[in-house]
Amino acid sequence: MNELLLLCRIAGRNAAIPAVRVQSVIEVGDITPLPGVPRFIRGLTALRSQALTVIDCSVALGFESQPENPEQRAAVVDVDGHLYALLVEAAYDVGEARSDAIEVPGGFGAGWQAAARGLVETDTGPTLLIDIETLVSGPVAQAA
Amino acid sequence: MDDLLADFVAETREMLEASGGEIVAWEADPADKARLDTIFRFVHTVKGNCGFFDFPRLEKLSHAAEDALADCRSGRRDPDRALVSAVLAIIDRISEMTDSIEAGEDFPDGGDDELIEALQPSETVEIVGESREAPSAPMSADSEETAAPKAARSAGVQRSIRLPTELLDEVMKGVSDMVLARNDLARRLRDAGEQPEIDGPFDRLSTILADVRTAITRMRMQRLEHLFSSLPRLVRDLSNELGKQVMVDFEGGEVELDREMVEMVRDPLTHIIRNALDHGLEGPGERIRAGKRELGLLKFAARQSGNQITLAITDDGRGIGTDRLAAKAVAAGIYSQAEVDAMSERRKQHLIFEPGLSTADKVSAVSGRGVGMDVVRANLERVGGSIDVVSKPGEGTSFYLKLPLTLSIIAALTVGSGSQRYAVPRSFVEEIVFGSSEHVEFAEAGERQLVTFRGKRVPCLSLGTILGTKALEDIEWRNKTLVLIRLASEEVFALAVDRVYDHEDVVVKPIAPAVMETGLYAGTTLLDDGRPMMLLDLPSIAQKYQLVNEMRSATRVVEEEQVEQRKSQPIMLFTGLDGRRRAVRLELVRRIDTVAREAIDIEGARAQAVIDGAIFTLVGHEYGPLPEEKCRLLRLSDGDCEVAYAVQEVLDAAAMDGDIIPSAADPSIEGVTLIGDKPVPVIDGHALFASHRRPQASAQPMTCRLPARSDWARTILEPLVEAAGYRIATDAQEEADVAIELAEEQATPPGPARRVIRLRPEPEAPDGANDSIYRYDREALLAALKQARSGKTA
């Protein structure tokens, strides 16, 4: 309850990332591609002289890559000492969770089911709460 | 020894502080087993440590306390309040003694026996209480008297603090990030153009940051002394065990090394010492028979050169038994007899680094514990170091350890594939070859691309293919640059890249696990412009392409010949502008440059080339016309000055094993030598530099005073005089070596001079007077200046 969430849009759906984990929301500029890495990793980008691994959230969830967008936003998170930039379609606002994360009968669908901690109510409607660790560890569709 | 002592004091203190709470808790509940264990460990450790030093009183006290506590632990005795008090009194005394050890003063005698006696189980509590009170009363009075000055003194003595390494690492990381952030800012400022009000403070910030960085790096540094100080003891113990007498000698203990690196080196060093004592140094009898001193010598010498530390460990023992080593290699099935026979002596010595080989015939207690020199080498290479061995039979063996100063900064070669840059650790790079060179042949064997270069056939991987950005069939091998990679396991392969950029020292940072899993990258670093660059993980790539085993048998022997050949004189082959092959000794070649045709300026006998903003004398152009667009230049150097030698193409580096047949007909060549059965003229470096080197400005040039008010003197005469190696005297009071006067000017120069040259405006001297020179008679003027010069030196 009352957890602060970063509300954003991933693969055409409303999603939320625990705000306490988000260091900042950045506009991703140049991405240095990393040949040979799985598709959900877009590459590296530099933020204040630190290299961030850019994760394409759509691909990580098992969807098609989101279209290139000159002003693409990303949430910067730290997982086990490594910095990641989670590329989202849009980042809206930070809002309060109005409920605990709950499961819904029938699940959320393959990719979402594995990466979502559950459904939370927010001021802007029901939103899926994303688990960051699952997202950065690889395409969840295969893991699921 | 002082270091060890400081460690002892610090450790004891630390334990005292940590067990302070335990002691109080134990006092409240003497039956508490866990507390008892902690305190037992404390006195036990103190007792153990005392063994290293000559502290009989400390040892006796801690020993007594340990005994008593051991009885309690084994249940032979129940801890009672009397015992607790007695033990606490001893611990207090240990603490006081430690203080006086640190302050370097003697602890007042007496009182110990009473303390020890108090530990004995006693019938009545009263007696114990009294006997405890007796020694502790004078002691506390004593300590009250001395405590205050002692504390003050120790505050002065204690000028170092102990910090957790993690904290240091964190600070270090912070500073590294700051440096990167500064670079980023510097780039933005550059882009924004000149802004004096910002640039000034920024420069100051940069300087401060550089200082802080150096200081932080030094914080992590430790003198090698620290490592050395533990070695005599190790050597002593081992030599006693082996019945040998060994003297240890240290040099360069003041050299500093990253703390972590010191720890990394400890094990390899121990292993090398074991080997040296066990196998290298002979017993006293054998040494005397061999005419050596009875006492063996083991010498450690450390040197710092740039970002590298060289640590040499030398013994004066019997040297490496290469025949035995070779026989073992054959017996172990690592090499065939034929392979071993073909090996050079040096190569055989390097067999010591082969896995599974040991010169020890039988496993002794000291060495041969299954950890071989191969592990030592692998460990050193893992941290970016290397190891080499040189051994002379009967005279001794030296191991040379090369270590980088720190772990996180590595020397790298930056290469390009597509539009991206990647870093390759320089320690792996053996050579860089252009795919377009005639001496490189490509071949395909099934799916595998092979390249033959200088007698070596090695697999060739394209970086583009490895990274999956380019299909194998699309690659134009001839357009690539080949980086020959030699892995720690001696395997060699060629990595074809689009471009080689530069050598750089890079700060390597870890990468996300998902990226690590690809096995392609070992880390990341940021370029100056803030873009990330990946560090390639070459051993893992080689493994992925199964290169680690397949080359082993094929290339070894061929390689061996190469090693042999390299001992001869290396030369560089090229074709001159006339299309003829020539050679120059490789030592003379500083680098190879390619310049645009416009950068070359030839006018009459003067020929110059501009490379990177500096002007070089150009030679070699007399052989033929310069190429239309780009011109290859060899930059030759005799150590002081450089000349640029224009060539058509640089062919290859080769080894000159034959003799040079001198040629008297052509003074520009040293002679002719045979390379691959063809005669090749070798350029005479001496003649080249003798005729083309620029007269070096001597440290104290002669001075010449010119007429001050003459425009002609300033604009026409001055350059000529300066070219002749004179400095123009400007100080009116200074005594110049030469002064030049104009005959038409009646006033003499307003300053003293040792010699005067007079110039006249008319070609013919008036009235036959011979004391002046016509002002445009260049020859005569130069001759006069030269004469003045030699007059001084004579």
Side-chain angles (χ1 to χ4, degrees), chain B residues 413 415 424-435 439-442 450-461 481-487 490-497 500 538 551 555 559 562 566 652:
Chain B
L413 182 74
V415 300
V424 174
R426 200 151 77 197
S427 53
F428 287 119
V429 177
E430 181 159 80
E431 209 168 345
I432 299 168
V433 191
F434 288 105
H439 293 261
V440 175
E441 281 170 34
F442 291 97
L450 296 169
V451 60
T452 310
F453 173 68
R454 220 190 285 151
K456 272 187 275 192
R457 175 170 294 155
V458 296
C460 183
L461 299 177
T481 304
L482 304 178
V483 182
L484 287 187
I485 305 287
R486 181 183 290 272
L487 298 174
E490 290 289 306
E491 273 85 10
V492 180
F493 69 92
L495 186 69
V497 299
V500 170
L538 292 170
M551 293 176 292
T555 52
E559 229 172 79
Q562 293 296 329
R566 265 177 228 162
D652 195 4

Coordinates of all heavy atoms in Angstrom, one line a residue, chain B residues 413 415 424-435 439-442 450-461 481-487 490-497 500 538 551 555 559 562 566 652:
Chain B
L413 N 44.7 -1.9 -26.8 CA 44.8 -1.5 -28.2 C 43.3 -1.3 -28.6 O 42.5 -2.2 -28.4 CB 45.5 -2.6 -29.0 CG 45.7 -2.3 -30.5 CD1 46.8 -1.3 -30.7 CD2 46.0 -3.6 -31.2
V415 N 40.6 -1.1 -31.5 CA 40.4 -1.5 -32.9 C 39.0 -1.2 -33.3 O 38.1 -1.0 -32.4 CB 40.7 -3.0 -33.0 CG1 42.1 -3.4 -32.6 CG2 39.7 -3.8 -32.2
V424 N 41.3 -4.2 -27.0 CA 41.9 -5.5 -26.8 C 43.1 -5.3 -25.9 O 43.9 -4.4 -26.0 CB 42.5 -6.0 -28.2 CG1 43.3 -7.2 -28.1 CG2 41.4 -6.1 -29.2
P425 N 43.1 -6.2 -24.8 CA 44.2 -6.0 -23.9 C 45.6 -6.1 -24.6 O 45.8 -7.1 -25.4 CB 44.0 -7.2 -22.9 CG 42.6 -7.5 -23.0 CD 42.2 -7.2 -24.4
R426 N 46.5 -5.2 -24.4 CA 47.7 -5.1 -25.1 C 48.6 -6.3 -24.9 O 49.4 -6.7 -25.7 CB 48.4 -3.9 -24.8 CG 49.4 -3.5 -25.9 CD 49.6 -2.0 -26.0 NE 50.4 -1.5 -24.9 CZ 50.4 -0.3 -24.5 NH1 49.7 0.6 -25.1 NH2 51.2 0.1 -23.5
S427 N 48.4 -6.9 -23.7 CA 49.3 -8.0 -23.3 C 49.1 -9.2 -24.3 O 50.0 -10.1 -24.4 CB 49.0 -8.5 -21.9 OG 47.7 -8.7 -21.7
F428 N 47.9 -9.3 -24.9 CA 47.7 -10.4 -25.9 C 48.2 -10.1 -27.3 O 48.4 -11.0 -28.1 CB 46.2 -10.6 -26.0 CG 45.5 -11.2 -24.8 CD1 44.5 -10.6 -24.1 CD2 45.9 -12.5 -24.4 CE1 44.0 -11.2 -23.0 CE2 45.4 -13.1 -23.3 CZ 44.4 -12.4 -22.6
V429 N 48.4 -8.8 -27.6 CA 48.7 -8.5 -28.9 C 50.2 -8.7 -29.2 O 51.1 -8.2 -28.5 CB 48.4 -7.0 -29.2 CG1 48.8 -6.6 -30.6 CG2 46.9 -6.7 -29.0
E430 N 50.5 -9.5 -30.3 CA 51.8 -9.8 -30.6 C 52.3 -9.0 -31.7 O 53.4 -8.5 -31.7 CB 52.0 -11.3 -30.9 CG 53.4 -11.6 -31.2 CD 53.6 -13.1 -31.1 OE1 53.3 -13.9 -32.0 OE2 54.1 -13.5 -30.0
E431 N 51.5 -8.8 -32.7 CA 51.9 -8.1 -33.9 C 50.7 -7.6 -34.7 O 49.6 -8.1 -34.5 CB 52.7 -9.1 -34.8 CG 53.7 -8.5 -35.6 CD 54.6 -9.6 -36.2 OE1 54.6 -10.7 -35.8 OE2 55.3 -9.3 -37.2
I432 N 50.9 -6.5 -35.4 CA 49.8 -6.0 -36.3 C 50.3 -6.1 -37.7 O 51.4 -5.6 -38.0 CB 49.4 -4.6 -35.9 CG1 49.0 -4.6 -34.4 CG2 48.4 -4.0 -36.8 CD1 48.8 -3.3 -33.8
V433 N 49.5 -6.7 -38.6 CA 49.9 -6.9 -40.0 C 48.8 -6.4 -40.9 O 47.6 -6.6 -40.6 CB 50.1 -8.4 -40.3 CG1 50.8 -8.5 -41.6 CG2 50.9 -9.0 -39.2
F434 N 49.1 -5.7 -42.0 CA 48.1 -5.3 -42.9 C 47.7 -6.5 -43.8 O 48.6 -7.2 -44.3 CB 48.5 -4.2 -43.8 CG 48.6 -2.9 -43.1 CD1 49.8 -2.4 -42.7 CD2 47.4 -2.2 -42.7 CE1 49.9 -1.2 -41.9 CE2 47.5 -1.1 -42.0 CZ 48.7 -0.5 -41.6
G435 N 46.4 -6.7 -44.0 CA 46.0 -7.8 -44.9 C 46.4 -7.6 -46.3 O 46.5 -8.6 -47.1
H439 N 53.0 -10.3 -48.0 CA 53.5 -11.5 -47.3 C 52.5 -12.2 -46.5 O 52.7 -13.1 -45.8 CB 54.6 -11.0 -46.4 CG 55.8 -10.5 -47.2 ND1 56.9 -11.3 -47.4 CD2 56.0 -9.4 -47.8 CE1 57.8 -10.7 -48.1 NE2 57.2 -9.5 -48.4
V440 N 51.3 -11.7 -46.7 CA 50.2 -12.4 -46.0 C 49.4 -13.2 -47.0 O 49.0 -12.7 -48.1 CB 49.2 -11.3 -45.3 CG1 48.0 -12.0 -44.7 CG2 50.0 -10.6 -44.3
E441 N 49.2 -14.5 -46.7 CA 48.4 -15.3 -47.7 C 47.2 -15.8 -46.9 O 47.3 -16.3 -45.8 CB 49.2 -16.5 -48.2 CG 50.2 -16.1 -49.3 CD 51.1 -17.2 -49.5 OE1 50.7 -18.4 -49.4 OE2 52.3 -16.9 -49.9
F442 N 46.1 -15.7 -47.6 CA 44.9 -16.2 -47.0 C 44.5 -17.6 -47.6 O 44.8 -17.8 -48.8 CB 43.7 -15.3 -47.2 CG 43.9 -14.0 -46.4 CD1 44.4 -12.9 -46.9 CD2 43.5 -14.0 -45.0 CE1 44.5 -11.7 -46.2 CE2 43.7 -12.8 -44.3 CZ 44.2 -11.7 -44.9
L450 N 42.2 -19.3 -42.9 CA 43.5 -19.4 -42.3 C 44.4 -18.3 -42.9 O 44.1 -17.8 -44.0 CB 44.2 -20.8 -42.7 CG 43.5 -22.0 -42.1 CD1 44.1 -23.3 -42.8 CD2 43.7 -22.1 -40.6
V451 N 45.4 -17.9 -42.2 CA 46.3 -16.9 -42.8 C 47.7 -17.4 -42.5 O 48.0 -17.9 -41.5 CB 46.0 -15.5 -42.1 CG1 46.2 -15.5 -40.6 CG2 46.9 -14.4 -42.7
T452 N 48.5 -17.2 -43.6 CA 49.9 -17.6 -43.4 C 50.7 -16.3 -43.4 O 50.6 -15.5 -44.3 CB 50.4 -18.5 -44.6 OG1 49.4 -19.5 -44.7 CG2 51.7 -19.1 -44.3
F453 N 51.5 -16.2 -42.4 CA 52.3 -15.0 -42.3 C 53.7 -15.3 -41.8 O 53.8 -15.9 -40.7 CB 51.6 -13.9 -41.4 CG 52.4 -12.8 -41.1 CD1 52.8 -11.9 -42.1 CD2 52.9 -12.5 -39.8 CE1 53.5 -10.8 -41.8 CE2 53.7 -11.5 -39.6 CZ 54.0 -10.6 -40.6
R454 N 54.7 -15.0 -42.5 CA 56.1 -15.3 -42.0 C 56.2 -16.7 -41.6 O 56.7 -17.0 -40.5 CB 56.5 -14.3 -40.9 CG 57.9 -13.9 -41.1 CD 58.3 -13.2 -39.9 NE 57.8 -11.8 -39.8 CZ 57.6 -11.2 -38.6 NH1 57.8 -11.8 -37.5 NH2 57.2 -10.0 -38.6
G455 N 55.8 -17.7 -42.4 CA 56.0 -19.1 -42.1 C 55.0 -19.6 -41.0 O 55.1 -20.8 -40.8
K456 N 54.2 -18.8 -40.5 CA 53.2 -19.3 -39.6 C 51.8 -19.4 -40.2 O 51.4 -18.5 -40.9 CB 53.1 -18.3 -38.4 CG 54.0 -18.5 -37.3 CD 53.7 -17.6 -36.1 CE 54.3 -16.2 -36.3 NZ 54.2 -15.4 -35.1
R457 N 51.2 -20.5 -40.0 CA 49.8 -20.6 -40.5 C 48.9 -20.6 -39.3 O 49.0 -21.5 -38.5 CB 49.6 -21.8 -41.4 CG 48.1 -22.0 -41.7 CD 47.9 -23.0 -42.8 NE 48.6 -22.6 -44.0 CZ 49.0 -23.5 -44.9 NH1 48.8 -24.8 -44.7 NH2 49.5 -23.1 -46.1
V458 N 48.1 -19.6 -39.1 CA 47.2 -19.6 -37.9 C 45.8 -19.3 -38.4 O 45.6 -18.7 -39.5 CB 47.7 -18.4 -37.0 CG1 49.1 -18.7 -36.4 CG2 47.6 -17.1 -37.7
P459 N 44.8 -19.7 -37.6 CA 43.5 -19.5 -37.9 C 43.2 -18.0 -37.9 O 43.9 -17.2 -37.1 CB 42.7 -20.1 -36.8 CG 43.6 -21.0 -36.1 CD 45.0 -20.5 -36.3
C460 N 42.3 -17.5 -38.6 CA 42.0 -16.1 -38.7 C 40.5 -15.9 -38.4 O 39.7 -16.5 -39.1 CB 42.4 -15.6 -40.1 SG 42.2 -13.9 -40.3
L461 N 40.2 -15.1 -37.5 CA 38.8 -14.7 -37.2 C 38.5 -13.3 -37.6 O 39.4 -12.4 -37.3 CB 38.5 -14.9 -35.7 CG 38.7 -16.3 -35.1 CD1 38.5 -16.3 -33.6 CD2 37.8 -17.3 -35.8
T481 N 42.9 -5.3 -41.3 CA 44.2 -5.3 -40.5 C 44.1 -6.5 -39.6 O 43.1 -6.7 -38.9 CB 44.3 -4.0 -39.7 OG1 44.1 -2.9 -40.6 CG2 45.6 -3.9 -39.0
L482 N 45.2 -7.2 -39.6 CA 45.2 -8.4 -38.8 C 46.0 -8.2 -37.5 O 47.1 -7.7 -37.5 CB 45.9 -9.6 -39.5 CG 45.3 -9.9 -40.9 CD1 46.1 -11.0 -41.6 CD2 43.9 -10.3 -40.7
V483 N 45.4 -8.5 -36.4 CA 46.0 -8.3 -35.1 C 46.4 -9.8 -34.6 O 45.4 -10.6 -34.5 CB 45.1 -7.7 -34.1 CG1 45.8 -7.5 -32.7 CG2 44.7 -6.3 -34.6
L484 N 47.6 -10.0 -34.5 CA 48.0 -11.4 -34.1 C 47.9 -11.5 -32.6 O 48.5 -10.7 -31.9 CB 49.4 -11.7 -34.6 CG 49.6 -12.0 -36.1 CD1 51.0 -12.5 -36.3 CD2 48.6 -13.0 -36.5
I485 N 47.1 -12.4 -32.1 CA 46.8 -12.5 -30.7 C 47.5 -13.8 -30.2 O 47.4 -14.9 -30.8 CB 45.3 -12.7 -30.5 CG1 44.5 -11.6 -31.1 CG2 45.0 -12.9 -29.0 CD1 44.7 -10.3 -30.4
R486 N 48.3 -13.6 -29.1 CA 48.9 -14.8 -28.5 C 48.3 -14.9 -27.1 O 48.4 -14.0 -26.3 CB 50.4 -14.6 -28.4 CG 51.1 -15.9 -27.7 CD 52.5 -15.6 -27.5 NE 53.2 -15.6 -28.8 CZ 53.7 -16.7 -29.4 NH1 53.5 -17.9 -28.8 NH2 54.3 -16.7 -30.5
L487 N 47.6 -16.0 -26.9 CA 46.9 -16.3 -25.7 C 47.9 -16.8 -24.6 O 49.0 -17.2 -25.0 CB 45.8 -17.3 -25.8 CG 44.7 -16.8 -26.8 CD1 43.7 -17.9 -27.0 CD2 44.0 -15.6 -26.2
E490 N 49.7 -19.9 -25.2 CA 50.6 -20.0 -26.3 C 49.9 -20.1 -27.7 O 50.6 -20.1 -28.7 CB 51.6 -21.1 -26.2 CG 52.7 -20.9 -25.1 CD 53.6 -19.8 -25.4 OE1 54.2 -19.9 -26.5 OE2 53.8 -18.8 -24.7
E491 N 48.6 -20.3 -27.7 CA 47.9 -20.3 -29.0 C 47.9 -19.0 -29.6 O 47.8 -18.0 -28.9 CB 46.5 -20.8 -28.8 CG 46.3 -22.3 -28.8 CD 46.5 -22.9 -27.4 OE1 46.6 -22.1 -26.5 OE2 46.6 -24.1 -27.3
V492 N 48.1 -19.0 -30.9 CA 48.1 -17.8 -31.7 C 46.9 -17.8 -32.7 O 46.7 -18.8 -33.3 CB 49.4 -17.6 -32.4 CG1 49.4 -16.3 -33.2 CG2 50.6 -17.7 -31.5
F493 N 46.3 -16.7 -32.8 CA 45.3 -16.6 -33.9 C 45.3 -15.1 -34.4 O 45.8 -14.2 -33.7 CB 43.9 -17.1 -33.6 CG 43.2 -16.3 -32.6 CD1 42.3 -15.3 -33.0 CD2 43.3 -16.5 -31.2 CE1 41.6 -14.5 -32.1 CE2 42.6 -15.8 -30.3 CZ 41.7 -14.8 -30.7
A494 N 44.8 -14.9 -35.6 CA 44.7 -13.6 -36.1 C 43.3 -13.1 -36.0 O 42.3 -13.8 -36.3 CB 45.2 -13.6 -37.6
L495 N 43.2 -11.8 -35.6 CA 41.9 -11.2 -35.5 C 41.9 -10.1 -36.5 O 42.6 -9.2 -36.5 CB 41.8 -10.6 -34.1 CG 40.4 -10.0 -33.7 CD1 39.4 -11.1 -33.6 CD2 40.5 -9.2 -32.4
A496 N 40.9 -10.3 -37.5 CA 40.8 -9.3 -38.6 C 39.9 -8.2 -38.2 O 38.7 -8.5 -37.9 CB 40.3 -10.0 -39.8
V497 N 40.4 -7.0 -38.2 CA 39.6 -5.8 -37.8 C 39.6 -4.8 -38.9 O 40.5 -4.9 -39.8 CB 40.1 -5.2 -36.5 CG1 40.0 -6.2 -35.4 CG2 41.5 -4.7 -36.7
V500 N 42.9 -0.3 -36.9 CA 43.6 -0.3 -35.6 C 43.7 1.2 -35.3 O 44.2 2.0 -36.1 CB 44.9 -1.0 -35.6 CG1 45.7 -0.7 -34.3 CG2 44.8 -2.4 -35.8
L538 N 39.2 -12.1 -25.2 CA 39.8 -12.9 -26.2 C 39.9 -14.4 -25.8 O 39.6 -15.2 -26.7 CB 41.2 -12.3 -26.6 CG 41.1 -11.0 -27.3 CD1 42.5 -10.4 -27.4 CD2 40.5 -11.2 -28.7
M551 N 45.2 -25.7 -32.7 CA 46.4 -25.2 -33.3 C 47.6 -25.8 -32.6 O 48.7 -25.7 -33.1 CB 46.5 -23.7 -33.1 CG 45.5 -23.0 -33.8 SD 45.7 -21.3 -33.5 CE 45.2 -21.3 -31.8
T555 N 51.2 -25.6 -35.0 CA 52.0 -24.4 -35.1 C 53.3 -24.4 -34.2 O 54.1 -23.6 -34.4 CB 51.2 -23.2 -34.7 OG1 50.6 -23.5 -33.4 CG2 50.1 -22.9 -35.7
E559 N 56.6 -22.2 -35.1 CA 56.8 -21.1 -34.2 C 58.2 -21.1 -33.6 O 58.8 -20.1 -33.5 CB 55.9 -21.3 -33.0 CG 55.0 -20.1 -32.7 CD 54.0 -20.6 -31.7 OE1 54.4 -20.7 -30.5 OE2 52.9 -20.9 -32.1
Q562 N 60.8 -19.6 -35.5 CA 60.7 -18.1 -35.5 C 61.4 -17.6 -34.3 O 62.1 -16.6 -34.4 CB 59.2 -17.7 -35.5 CG 58.4 -18.0 -36.7 CD 59.0 -17.3 -37.9 OE1 59.5 -16.2 -37.8 NE2 58.9 -17.9 -39.1
R566 N 64.6 -14.9 -34.5 CA 64.6 -13.6 -34.0 C 65.8 -13.1 -33.2 O 66.0 -12.0 -32.9 CB 63.3 -13.4 -33.1 CG 62.2 -12.8 -33.9 CD 61.0 -12.7 -33.1 NE 59.9 -13.3 -33.8 CZ 58.8 -13.7 -33.3 NH1 58.6 -13.5 -32.0 NH2 57.8 -14.2 -34.0
D652 N 58.0 -5.8 -45.1 CA 58.0 -6.8 -44.1 C 59.2 -6.6 -43.1 O 60.1 -5.9 -43.5 CB 58.2 -8.2 -44.8 CG 57.8 -9.3 -43.8 OD1 57.3 -9.0 -42.7 OD2 58.0 -10.5 -44.2

